[in-house]
Amino acid sequence: MKALPSVLLTAALVGAGAFAAPQIIPVPALPPSSGTPLPELAPLPTRSAPLPPLVPLSPSPSTPSTSYRPSDPLFARQWNLQAIRAPGAWAQLAGTGRGARVTVAVLDTGFVNSPELAGRVVNGYDFVSDPARAGDGNGRDRDASGVGEFAYHAEVIGNLIGAAHDGRGMAGINPQARVVQVRVAGTDGMVDPQDLADGLRWAAGLSVPGTPLNLNPARVLNLSLFADFIPLTGCDTRIQAAVDAVTARGALVVAGAANDGADARGYSPAGCRNVLTVTSVTQGGQRPSYANWGTSVALAAPGGEPGHGIPASSVSGPGGERSPNGTSFAAPHAAGVASLLFGLKPTLTPAQVRDLLTRTATPFPTGRCDSDPRKLCGRGTLNAEAAVRAVLTSPGPSAPTGTLR
């Protein structure tokens, strides 16, 4: 079952709450049915509390590391971070500040001023060209603010990538990442192929006619969507050209595989060349029935299943929280880890990062993700700990600290 249009790769929501007619967001937090809101919904303090020191990584790579544990209250329920062995990755980053100051673009439903990303989320650009679908009274413009009931979609994705480790709300994979929100989806959740192609180029810092240059070009582009208004028979030529251009620029494109339980190769961008296509697995490491599969899929990451989704902070959710599931939420796990790798070694190419993430993936518990051997999910489940270790132990200079890329 899909609660949203198929373009937004979200299979279902838990505790989503009801929405009124579309309104320009930020969406106010809905009052919780019981208890109190998550602490992150309170005003942010001027200075964060001191973070606990990191300790060295356990010498045994076969056992998930628990040597660093964020104090964010939602972390205890973020099973997805344990599944990708994020604590082991963070422990190895003690000398670099436990994250990487790398810019990630989220091409999605638009900007929400998330408290989890305070000071690190950028209102990028609105590429929705059809005023009727834009819902904000015009077509393309400089305000990428999300509009309508699906606005939370991009917010949750950004939070999964970069939520601060500050003792409030949730923990993100790269708590130093800058997130640039680029709006390509209308209020209907649909994406025009040309809007997506232009958004891709802009996000990576390439010129787009009639659009100001992006002053925050990204090394990683997260696309938890696919293009509409085209047949699902292969990668759209406009999108392929844009993917090739941003890849040549040095940016990695990460895409969700989509949620139709079908072969992902017919989808754009999941079926395009030079894309790291990610499908979903459950907490048990198996493909949920909604998740697309096939030879175009590079690896899997936690996407959850109905009734057991991915816990995340959201200003639009009841009590400041949502638990969505879908390949929308598998892709940002890979995007977040990719940003850590680029931060450790800025000279890495997109192809090298794709190779690192697939080569270090954890094998599926039964050797494959599905009982049907045709339904492939790539090399395994994303393993942040192993990927970071591979970069740290490889020859070559590491990244200087203190610079956002």
Side-chain angles (χ1 to χ4, degrees), residues 6-354:
S6 59
V7 60
L8 301 180
L9 307 185
T10 308
L13 290 172
V14 174
F19 287 88
Q23 298 177 352
I24 297 210
I25 53 98
V27 181
L30 301 178
S33 57
S34 62
T36 57
L38 288 177
E40 92 247 53
L41 298 182
L44 292 173
T46 54
R47 299 185 65 178
S48 300
L51 293 169
L54 298 176
V55 297
L57 176 68
S58 168
S60 171
S62 60
T63 303
S65 170
T66 56
S67 54
Y68 170 71
R69 180 182 177 87
S71 59
D72 305 75
L74 195 55
F75 176 71
R77 291 191 283 119
Q78 288 182 269
W79 62 268
N80 50 305
L81 296 181
Q82 300 297 331
I84 67 167
R85 300 177 64 157
W90 296 327
Q92 297 175 83
L93 298 172
T96 62
R98 199 197 56 251
R101 295 171 68 84
V102 170
T103 301
V104 181
V106 174
L107 285 78
D108 210 278
T109 57
F111 170 79
V112 173
N113 193 14
S114 170
E116 292 281 14
L117 299 171
R120 294 180 293 112
V121 61
V122 177
N123 186 341
Y125 201 84
D126 178 4
F127 279 93
V128 181
S129 56
D130 181 355
R133 294 178 45 252
D136 56 4
N138 54 31
R140 295 184 178 186
D141 58 53
R142 294 173 180 265
D143 183 5
S145 291
V147 179
E149 61 181 310
F150 303 149
Y152 80 89
H153 194 264
E155 178 211 9
V156 168
I157 289 163
N159 287 347
L160 287 171
I161 292 168
H165 296 186
D166 57 1
R168 299 173 297 170
M170 67 182 288
I173 293 167
N174 182 359
Q176 294 194 57
R178 171 187 281 158
V179 174
V180 179
Q181 293 284 6
V182 183
R183 187 179 181 218
V184 294
T187 56
D188 53 5
M190 309 282 274
V191 177
D192 179 90
Q194 190 61 57
D195 292 349
L196 180 56
D198 289 345
L200 276 161
R201 287 188 168 87
W202 186 88
L206 298 172
S207 62
V208 176
T211 304
L213 194 67
N214 178 13
L215 300 180
N216 301 285
R219 289 300 305 273
V220 183
L221 281 57
N222 187 95
L223 280 67
S224 292
L225 47 75
F226 64 86
D228 289 280
F229 315 114
I230 54 175
L232 300 177
T233 55
C235 182
D236 180 81
T237 56
R238 293 162 291 182
I239 295 172
Q240 184 65 71
V243 168
D244 291 343
V246 304
T247 302
R249 175 82 168 184
L252 173 67
V253 178
V254 179
N259 297 333
D260 293 333
D263 193 330
R265 66 183 174 181
Y267 293 67
S268 302
C272 299
R273 297 185 311 273
N274 294 323
V275 171
L276 180 74
T277 298
V278 185
T279 195
S280 289
V281 286
T282 64
Q283 187 168 6
Q286 295 296 297
R287 185 189 71 86
S289 60
Y290 67 76
N292 280 12
W293 43 267
T295 56
S296 68
V297 175
L299 79 167
E305 58 189 319
H308 190 54
I310 306 298
S313 301
S314 173
V315 296
S316 70
E321 181 184 331
R322 289 182 178 270
S323 295
N325 67 94
T327 61
S328 276
F329 309 105
H333 288 81
V337 177
S339 73
L340 294 177
L341 304 189
F342 278 122
L344 289 171
K345 185 177 287 189
T347 57
L348 287 169
T349 67
Q352 288 172 327
V353 173
R354 288 197 304 271

